[in-house]
Amino acid sequence: QVQLVESGGGLVQAGGSLRLSCAASGRTFSSYPMGWFRQAPGKEREFVAATRWTGANSYYADYVDSVKGRFTVSRDDGKNTVTLQMNSLKPEDTAVYYCAGATNRLLYVSRLVEDYEYWGQGTQVTVSS
């Protein structure tokens, strides 16, 4: 059984930082994209960041414009984990954050919810002003 388990959410003041972690079990995602999405109340789930291994010690990362320069996605394929470091948090970053894993080898990275087959249960991030 494949599971993705997020941790690290919480309440933080604007300008603060949080580090989200996602641990995968049941299969390896080392050759596949893994992403972070978020969903605020009353809104659709939206792409935040994604990463995949590109060979040797290289990884490719993609970010939505609103988090570029503030968030950093990374992964440890040996541990089957992906991390989202969030700095300079803003109230508009408040949402439930989800980790996602894809299993399509032809997929480089994706910003689409439907391209990810596995999802975590989500972790709440609340940024107060």
Side-chain angles (χ1 to χ4, degrees), residues 88-101:
S88 303
L89 282 160
K90 304 176 180 179
E92 50 264 43
D93 294 319
T94 295
V96 176
Y97 282 70
Y98 297 90
C99 170

Side-chain angles (χ1 to χ4, degrees), residues 116-128:
Y116 293 85
E117 291 89 350
Y118 296 101
W119 293 84
Q121 81 288 351
T123 185
Q124 177 69 48
V125 171
T126 303
V127 184
S128 63

Side-chain angles (χ1 to χ4, degrees), residues 2 27 44 81:
V2 178
R27 68 162 292 148
E44 293 187 350
T81 60

Side-chain angles (χ1 to χ4, degrees), residues 56-95:
N57 291 319
S58 298
Y59 293 87
Y60 174 78
D62 184 30
Y63 301 92
V64 68
D65 285 349
S66 60
V67 308
K68 283 182 180 177
R70 300 189 297 122
F71 291 11
T72 302
V73 62
S74 60
R75 60 194 294 167
D76 185 335
D77 288 329
K79 296 181 179 179
N80 220 16
T81 60
V82 62
T83 300
L84 186 67
Q85 177 67 42
M86 305 185 295
N87 299 327
S88 303
L89 282 160
K90 304 176 180 179
E92 50 264 43
D93 294 319
T94 295

Side-chain angles (χ1 to χ4, degrees), residues 17-74:
S17 298
L18 283 174
R19 185 178 179 89
L20 305 183
S21 294
C22 173
S25 61
R27 68 162 292 148
T28 179
F29 288 93
S30 61
S31 299
Y32 304 96
M34 294 195 77
W36 288 94
F37 290 74
R38 65 187 180 188
Q39 188 166 18
K43 294 188 177 181
E44 293 187 350
R45 193 169 297 189
E46 66 170 0
F47 170 78
V48 176
T51 180
R52 73 161 294 149
W53 177 70
T54 57
N57 291 319
S58 298
Y59 293 87
Y60 174 78
D62 184 30
Y63 301 92
V64 68
D65 285 349
S66 60
V67 308
K68 283 182 180 177
R70 300 189 297 122
F71 291 11
T72 302
V73 62
S74 60

